[in-house]
Amino acid sequence: MIFTISEQILARASFLPLLPATFIYWGRSVYTNNQTLNISGKMSMIPAYSCMTGFPSTRRILPKHFPLSNLYESSMFLSWSLMLIHLILESRNSWLGIVTAPSAVSAHGFATLCLPKEMQESIYLVPAPQSHWLMMHVTTMIFSYATLSCGSLSAMALLIITATKQDKFPAIKFRTNSFLGSWILGDYAETVGNDKHSHELREISSFINFRKWRLIKELDNWSYRIIGFGFPLLTIGILSGAVWANEAWGSYWNWDPKETWALITWLIFAIYLHTRMIRGWWGHEPAIIASSGFFIIRIRYSGVNLLGKGLHSHGWLL
């Protein structure tokens, strides 16, 4: 049994700041311009990420392999991947923490609080997984899941926002060259006001709906870009897994439950990208496809691991 005190300390230390970070980023969704919340969110996420970075380095010392051999280790790496995505994109996207922080804390909490102690122990690998393909295949697949999950959750947020009725908001009208219009709309008002081809006076009805439209466009754009980055990673992960399967089991494809669900996941996001790139869809329709991909990922990652019986299952519930 190899479960050192340092691993436990790093695991707990990374969870402690990650939990309040989730509530902080939820608070930022209400108080968008609160600098205290902005700084607090960053100060909570950075130490959590640092501790999570030290966790695999400590855990791999005795087993002599990268810690991705069971569900506990892969869930911790998934949490680390979500935090990495957050830190990379936070400067460009202020609302992303609403998606990444709860996703990271749920993956971390599932690994440390839900899985039995036997599954949290580091073990020596049998001959089949002792390959350089372990790090290549598993890291690529998990990072693709983290990326695709962020894109899918952004699409789900888009669906929630579009589901609200516009007629509940009162119409607010103002001149775009007025002080109030410039203060509320910022650069947008300045652009409209400076357009020589526009009328001097313009009325924008339902300002809340304007902000809602702008948020929908931003969610749609970021969902597309994030999924567009995660899909090639998923493709590389599946191909590298096929090569590894041929090396270990003598066949590129065995129709194992996890392989089958990986193919279904790939097809769902391939359809999403096809509707965006070829058909030119945007907004509600492709968001439905992307949202369904999130549930497929959860089935593929958690459901097959816990319930399925196959070459990839870890066999906890069955």
Side-chain angles (χ1 to χ4, degrees):
M1 179 184 295
I2 307 167
F3 192 57
T4 62
I5 297 177
S6 59
E7 294 173 10
Q8 300 182 44
I9 294 175
L10 289 172
R12 301 312 188 266
S14 60
F15 184 78
L16 289 177
L18 190 59
L19 184 60
T22 301
F23 296 102
I24 290 173
Y25 283 107
W26 283 347
R28 284 183 59 182
S29 64
V30 179
Y31 304 99
T32 55
N33 296 322
N34 192 307
Q35 293 299 321
T36 302
L37 290 178
N38 295 342
I39 297 174
S40 300
K42 294 179 181 179
M43 296 302 294
S44 300
M45 191 63 71
I46 291 176
Y49 175 78
S50 300
C51 293
M52 281 295 294
T53 303
F55 173 80
S57 302
T58 303
R59 192 172 176 86
R60 68 178 298 175
I61 293 176
L62 292 178
K64 305 297 183 182
H65 64 81
F66 196 78
L68 289 171
S69 59
N70 56 32
L71 184 58
Y72 171 75
E73 294 172 348
S74 63
S75 297
M76 295 294 281
F77 186 79
L78 177 62
S79 179
W80 177 87
S81 300
L82 290 164
M83 285 187 278
L84 177 62
I85 294 171
H86 171 86
L87 293 175
I88 293 174
L89 299 179
E90 184 183 22
S91 60
R92 301 180 181 181
N93 194 321
S94 59
W95 53 261
L96 188 64
I98 303 173
V99 171
T100 54
S103 300
V105 76
S106 61
H108 196 304
F110 170 74
T112 55
L113 303 177
C114 297
L115 293 178
K117 292 295 183 181
E118 294 76 13
M119 294 190 67
Q120 298 182 20
E121 297 173 0
S122 181
I123 58 175
Y124 292 97
L125 296 177
V126 297
Q130 293 180 7
S131 171
H132 59 280
W133 291 106
L134 171 66
M135 186 172 180
M136 170 67 180
H137 168 63
V138 181
T139 54
T140 307
M141 290 296 293
I142 295 178
F143 198 75
S144 71
Y145 291 156
T147 309
L148 294 173
S149 295
C150 289
S152 298
L153 289 172
S154 299
M156 293 176 67
L158 186 152
L159 292 177
I160 294 173
I161 293 174
T162 55
T164 59
K165 295 182 178 180
Q166 296 184 3
D167 56 7
K168 291 183 178 180
F169 302 118
I172 301 176
K173 298 183 179 181
F174 49 83
R175 299 173 185 267
T176 56
N177 60 349
S178 65
F179 172 77
L180 180 61
S182 300
W183 178 74
I184 295 178
L185 294 179
D187 296 337
Y188 181 82
E190 183 178 355
T191 302
V192 173
N194 292 336
D195 189 358
K196 62 181 180 180
H197 301 292
S198 65
H199 298 288
E200 181 182 359
L201 301 178
R202 284 194 177 183
E203 293 181 346
I204 297 182
S205 63
S206 184
F207 164 66
I208 296 179
N209 291 327
F210 167 76
R211 292 291 300 271
K212 175 181 173 181
W213 172 84
R214 189 166 63 176
L215 179 58
I216 289 173
K217 291 287 290 185
E218 187 176 356
L219 285 169
D220 183 71
N221 178 49
W222 276 102
S223 175
Y224 174 51
R225 294 172 66 180
I226 295 173
I227 291 176
F229 178 74
F231 183 76
L233 293 177
L234 179 63
T235 305
I236 295 172
I238 293 175
L239 293 177
S240 62
V243 175
W244 187 17
N246 183 64
E247 180 183 290
W249 302 317
S251 175
Y252 287 100
W253 196 267
N254 299 282
W255 291 107
D256 178 78
K258 208 161 190 178
E259 295 174 350
T260 304
W261 281 101
L263 179 60
I264 295 174
T265 305
W266 188 90
L267 290 174
I268 289 293
F269 288 106
I271 293 172
Y272 169 82
L273 293 175
H274 174 78
T275 60
R276 293 298 303 258
M277 300 174 66
I278 307 301
R279 301 298 298 273
W281 291 4
W282 75 276
H284 186 268
E285 290 79 6
I288 295 176
I289 303 174
S291 300
S292 65
F294 174 78
F295 298 103
I296 298 297
I297 290 175
R298 300 315 302 171
I299 293 173
R300 195 273 178 190
Y301 181 75
S302 301
V304 176
N305 281 334
L306 301 178
L307 298 175
K309 293 183 179 179
L311 298 172
H312 294 84
S313 63
H314 299 286
W316 175 32
L317 299 179
L318 294 180

